Amino acid sequence: MKSFLTTNYLFPTVLLLLLSSCYQQERKCADFKTGTFQFKQEIDGKEHTTTFIRTNDMQIETFNGKTDTATVRWVNDCEFILEKLHPRNMQEKKAISMKILYTKDNTYTFEYAFVGDEKKMKGLVTKLE
């Protein structure tokens, strides 16, 4: 009886594992190198929206009515480094590493951290134009 149950469950389990391992998420990073974007995040229980325009080598973002500019240095098609042009304190002097994890339609999910920092955060960006 044991071998009968093992055989009946083993094949479907292996088949399910094989099929799920073949799934690969879309990564059309080149579609998101330039344009106008929006990023929403929750800070202290309130939703905040950042809008930014990215060219091949610059990013101009507006957050809470303040505009800031950063240089963009692409490491590869899906990863880039942001460095603020006019940092106001030591924290803003730190470069930020950005990595596009996957894309879908007009959005991309990304991971970011200060360069050299172990703690990574994730976010979702929507391309407006």
Side-chain angles (χ1 to χ4, degrees):
M1 185 74 170
K2 223 177 195 184
S3 66
F4 173 75
L5 287 175
T6 306
T7 306
N8 282 342
Y9 291 108
L10 182 61
F11 180 71
T13 304
V14 170
L15 183 62
L16 182 62
L17 286 172
L18 285 173
L19 290 175
S20 65
S21 67
C22 294
Y23 177 74
Q24 191 168 7
Q25 293 179 324
E26 187 174 278
R27 278 185 91 188
K28 293 183 179 178
C29 300
D31 294 349
F32 297 94
K33 280 193 167 187
T34 61
T36 302
F37 303 89
Q38 189 175 70
F39 171 55
K40 293 183 180 185
Q41 62 185 338
E42 190 174 306
I43 301 173
D44 297 328
K46 288 184 178 179
E47 186 178 86
H48 295 272
T49 302
T50 302
T51 304
F52 58 95
I53 299 168
R54 184 185 308 133
T55 65
N56 283 323
D57 58 357
M58 298 291 288
Q59 181 165 302
I60 302 166
E61 78 179 48
T62 303
F63 176 74
N64 283 344
K66 296 179 182 176
T67 301
D68 210 347
T69 306
T71 60
V72 176
R73 183 172 38 104
W74 288 92
V75 177
N76 60 45
D77 280 345
C78 295
E79 296 179 59
F80 60 96
I81 307 292
L82 285 176
E83 292 184 77
K84 291 198 177 206
L85 282 181
H86 307 289
R88 294 181 288 270
N89 55 48
M90 290 301 289
Q91 183 76 6
E92 289 185 359
K93 285 185 179 183
K94 294 181 179 180
I96 300 172
S97 173
M98 310 283 280
K99 180 178 183 180
I100 297 173
L101 301 174
Y102 53 90
T103 63
K104 183 176 181 182
D105 302 326
N106 68 329
T107 64
Y108 68 83
T109 299
F110 70 103
E111 172 180 271
Y112 64 102
F114 289 107
V115 172
D117 197 348
E118 298 277 331
K119 183 182 176 189
K120 295 183 179 176
M121 295 166 277
K122 289 186 179 180
L124 178 72
V125 169
T126 302
K127 185 171 186 177
L128 304 175
E129 296 177 16

